[in-house]
Amino acid sequence: MLYSENDKRKHESYRIPLFGSEEESTSIPKYVLKKEPMEPRIAYQLVKDQLMDEGNARQNLATFCQTYMEKEAEILMSETLAKNAIDKSEYPQTAELENRCVNILADLWNAPKDMSYLGTSTVGSSEACMLGGLAMKFRWRNNAEKRGLDIQAKRPNLIISSGYQVCWEKFCVYWDVDMRVVPMDKEHLSIDVDKVFDFVDDYTIGIVGILGITYTGKFDDIALLDEKVEIYNETNEHQLVIHIDGASGAMFTPFVNPELPWDFRLKNVVSINTSGHKYGLVYPGVGWILWKDKEYLPKELIFEVSYLGGSMPTMAINFSRSASQIIGQYYNFLRYGFEGYREIHEKTKKTALYLTKTVEKSGYFEIINDGANLPIVCYKMKDDLDVEWTLYDLADQLLMKGWQVPAYPLPADLSDTIIQRFVCRADLGHNVAEEFAADFRDALHNLEHARVLYHDKGRNDSYGFTH
């Protein structure tokens, strides 16, 4: 077949080399829309270049959030980005996968067989915490009215340790609840159970137990808390309940320490939340919340929504969102099974213990958490240490090699204590950990011989600290 001049492609710009294009040679509009569209390959490169100096997500040891998934999972999630998780009538099979995830978690958390558990996916554990708090508040209000309590006389309150994640503060502000904080101290780097009941009254909607405090990775003693709550409930008409914020620990502990009593095996634990995008091994953002029995989720919080010709019950703050993370969670459950999760988490724990030894051998630090319960290594500088540099300087040195390692003060009453923490995730294999350990030792060597330091020894703000 013969072709003429008129058969040439009209879009000559596609032949222009990427970095020879007009868009690459001029400043792009950043805060208003440009008038004309551009080629997808150029738009892709421009956006990618804007993100170039953010660093490698896998070197971010500040975050619990998952930074690696298998290619098959990534393909599956990309293929399902368009599915709307809230639309159960249009995507019934997706709804079934979500239902399976809830049932898997109920089994993992030892939900009683003689009760009717309920659960849902959420956008991370923060939304799940909000839903757990709302359920406690509404249930308290219903029971208080039945007991004849004047619910207008005082605001309801929630009890939690000072190691709480900020989502609980948001919950209390958004829904008009007093947060009663049990302060941590040097002897109690988790909730001081003996002090909890100094804060309890008839307006207490519940107590939050934390399975993995963000600051240190410590666990609240939830079994002991349950014992104390049971004693209280035996002698009071007002019945206390416990919600477990298991954002980090609830998808780790069942595989590594299944004998530890913290979940629905305890009588007064009525709801549990977790992050699928932490040790559930899914990219952000997916969370889960389960209630032990339907009596702990007031009916007025469940809505029947008419949507696209169907009717569905929903318990959520968010509405339309992609179902891809839910599908990614089910992929992981199917792919790994119990033993796969256990092997991954045991390996991650082993990595944390290895890195703890690296920190200890330096001689500079006091270990606060060695990674034995959650794979988080947390430490502070020894009190009698006579050096000019600080943990903030150490964070700077590590950042020069790409490692993001936060330094920050502990919560109120301990804010004069500066600590550093790195989170070991599934993608921090032993070989990468060895590289980090070498960089850690080099950073200390550089600080020992430093001529210029940038951080005041009295500094006590957060540096690189994330969830």
Side-chain angles (χ1 to χ4, degrees), residues 331-394:
Y331 168 89
N332 279 353
F333 284 158
L334 182 65
R335 163 74 174 92
Y336 299 129
F338 185 92
E339 283 302 313
Y341 266 100
R342 186 189 64 78
E343 288 175 8
I344 290 169
H345 291 341
E346 287 282 7
K347 183 273 298 177
T348 308
K349 176 180 173 180
K350 186 177 179 180
T351 299
L353 293 172
Y354 162 76
L355 290 177
T356 295
K357 292 180 180 178
T358 298
V359 174
E360 281 182 316
K361 285 178 181 178
S362 72
Y364 291 111
F365 308 106
E366 177 184 330
I367 302 297
I368 294 174
N369 190 15
D370 65 0
N373 58 338
L374 275 182
I376 299 163
V377 181
C378 183
Y379 51 90
K380 71 180 197 69
M381 296 184 75
K382 290 182 177 178
D383 293 334
D384 58 351
L385 201 62
D386 184 20
V387 295
E388 291 299 316
W389 54 271
T390 70
L391 290 176
Y392 299 104
D393 294 304
L394 178 55

Side-chain angles (χ1 to χ4, degrees), residues 177-196:
V177 174
D178 279 334
M179 177 182 278
R180 294 189 174 177
V181 178
V182 182
M184 296 193 302
D185 55 42
K186 292 181 179 179
E187 285 70 43
H188 302 89
L189 290 178
S190 57
I191 199 165
D192 185 347
V193 177
D194 291 332
K195 290 183 179 178
V196 164

Side-chain angles (χ1 to χ4, degrees), residues 148-165:
L149 185 70
D150 181 2
I151 62 172
Q152 302 301 326
K154 291 171 60 178
R155 292 206 308 176
N157 63 77
L158 178 74
I159 298 173
I160 193 169
S161 87
S162 59
Y164 63 83
Q165 211 268 354

Side-chain angles (χ1 to χ4, degrees), residues 162-177:
S162 59
Y164 63 83
Q165 211 268 354
V166 71
C167 65
W168 287 107
E169 187 174 358
K170 290 180 180 179
F171 163 74
C172 289
V173 171
Y174 294 165
W175 279 282
D176 204 27
V177 174

Side-chain angles (χ1 to χ4, degrees), residues 268-420:
N268 300 290
V269 171
V270 301
S271 52
I272 301 172
N273 73 270
T274 195
S275 287
H277 61 233
K278 293 180 181 175
Y279 291 106
L281 308 183
V282 182
Y283 287 139
V286 60
W288 302 92
I289 181 167
L290 272 67
W291 289 269
K292 177 186 284 187
D293 188 73
K294 59 186 178 181
E295 80 163 279
Y296 300 110
L297 179 57
K299 291 181 180 179
E300 57 265 43
L301 292 177
I302 302 174
F303 297 87
E304 290 291 331
V305 179
S306 178
Y307 190 62
L308 296 179
S311 179
M312 71 194 87
T314 179
M315 167 59 169
I317 297 171
N318 291 280
F319 199 69
S320 293
R321 58 187 172 93
S322 174
S324 60
Q325 282 91 359
I326 297 170
I327 293 167
Q329 183 74 83
Y330 183 70
Y331 168 89
N332 279 353
F333 284 158
L334 182 65
R335 163 74 174 92
Y336 299 129
F338 185 92
E339 283 302 313
Y341 266 100
R342 186 189 64 78
E343 288 175 8
I344 290 169
H345 291 341
E346 287 282 7
K347 183 273 298 177
T348 308
K349 176 180 173 180
K350 186 177 179 180
T351 299
L353 293 172
Y354 162 76
L355 290 177
T356 295
K357 292 180 180 178
T358 298
V359 174
E360 281 182 316
K361 285 178 181 178
S362 72
Y364 291 111
F365 308 106
E366 177 184 330
I367 302 297
I368 294 174
N369 190 15
D370 65 0
N373 58 338
L374 275 182
I376 299 163
V377 181
C378 183
Y379 51 90
K380 71 180 197 69
M381 296 184 75
K382 290 182 177 178
D383 293 334
D384 58 351
L385 201 62
D386 184 20
V387 295
E388 291 299 316
W389 54 271
T390 70
L391 290 176
Y392 299 104
D393 294 304
L394 178 55
D396 278 348
Q397 285 288 325
L398 292 170
L399 190 58
M400 291 179 187
K401 294 292 185 72
W403 301 106
Q404 299 177 55
V405 180
Y408 50 90
L410 287 173
D413 298 325
L414 289 172
S415 58
D416 59 339
T417 301
I418 310 301
I419 64 174
Q420 196 160 52

Side-chain angles (χ1 to χ4, degrees), residues 70-351:
E70 293 176 329
K71 290 298 180 185
E72 292 81 0
E74 291 182 342
I75 293 169
L76 185 61
M77 291 172 71
S78 67
E79 290 174 345
T80 55
L81 282 169
K83 292 182 183 287
N84 190 350
I86 202 68
D87 186 6
K88 317 297 186 190
S89 59
E90 288 293 310
Y91 304 111
Q93 203 58 35
T94 298
E96 168 59 17
L97 297 190
E98 181 180 4
N99 176 52
R100 293 179 191 178
C101 288
V102 168
N103 279 271
I104 288 168
L105 288 171
D107 180 66
L108 199 63
W109 296 341
N110 297 290
K113 303 299 184 185
D114 58 343
M115 292 186 175
S116 301
Y117 59 82
L118 296 168
T120 184
S121 68
T122 59
V123 181
S125 56
S126 291
E127 183 190 6
C129 289
M130 298 279 179
L131 297 179
L134 281 172
M136 286 192 288
K137 179 181 178 180
F138 275 66
R139 184 173 180 273
W140 164 83
R141 187 177 67 186
N142 293 341
N143 290 338
E145 288 175 340
K146 290 177 184 177
R147 293 189 286 117
L149 185 70
D150 181 2
I151 62 172
Q152 302 301 326
K154 291 171 60 178
R155 292 206 308 176
N157 63 77
L158 178 74
I159 298 173
I160 193 169
S161 87
S162 59
Y164 63 83
Q165 211 268 354
V166 71
C167 65
W168 287 107
E169 187 174 358
K170 290 180 180 179
F171 163 74
C172 289
V173 171
Y174 294 165
W175 279 282
D176 204 27
V177 174
D178 279 334
M179 177 182 278
R180 294 189 174 177
V181 178
V182 182
M184 296 193 302
D185 55 42
K186 292 181 179 179
E187 285 70 43
H188 302 89
L189 290 178
S190 57
I191 199 165
D192 185 347
V193 177
D194 291 332
K195 290 183 179 178
V196 164
F197 292 86
D198 296 341
F199 298 86
V200 170
D201 61 22
D202 283 346
Y203 292 81
T204 300
I205 66 173
I207 304 169
V208 176
I210 305 176
L211 195 72
I213 290 172
T214 297
Y215 293 90
T216 63
K218 295 283 189 181
F219 288 175
D220 286 344
D221 190 340
I222 297 165
L224 179 59
L225 180 61
D226 180 71
E227 289 179 17
K228 300 283 187 177
V229 167
E230 182 61 19
I231 293 171
Y232 176 91
N233 287 344
E234 288 175 355
T235 56
N236 288 272
E237 187 180 10
H238 171 229
Q239 298 289 287
L240 289 172
V241 294
I242 302 171
H243 171 85
I244 303 302
D245 182 351
S248 301
M251 291 277 273
F252 188 88
T253 304
F255 300 104
V256 177
N257 299 110
E259 75 287 349
L260 183 69
W262 64 272
D263 54 15
F264 290 136
R265 286 171 288 183
L266 302 178
K267 180 179 178 180
N268 300 290
V269 171
V270 301
S271 52
I272 301 172
N273 73 270
T274 195
S275 287
H277 61 233
K278 293 180 181 175
Y279 291 106
L281 308 183
V282 182
Y283 287 139
V286 60
W288 302 92
I289 181 167
L290 272 67
W291 289 269
K292 177 186 284 187
D293 188 73
K294 59 186 178 181
E295 80 163 279
Y296 300 110
L297 179 57
K299 291 181 180 179
E300 57 265 43
L301 292 177
I302 302 174
F303 297 87
E304 290 291 331
V305 179
S306 178
Y307 190 62
L308 296 179
S311 179
M312 71 194 87
T314 179
M315 167 59 169
I317 297 171
N318 291 280
F319 199 69
S320 293
R321 58 187 172 93
S322 174
S324 60
Q325 282 91 359
I326 297 170
I327 293 167
Q329 183 74 83
Y330 183 70
Y331 168 89
N332 279 353
F333 284 158
L334 182 65
R335 163 74 174 92
Y336 299 129
F338 185 92
E339 283 302 313
Y341 266 100
R342 186 189 64 78
E343 288 175 8
I344 290 169
H345 291 341
E346 287 282 7
K347 183 273 298 177
T348 308
K349 176 180 173 180
K350 186 177 179 180
T351 299

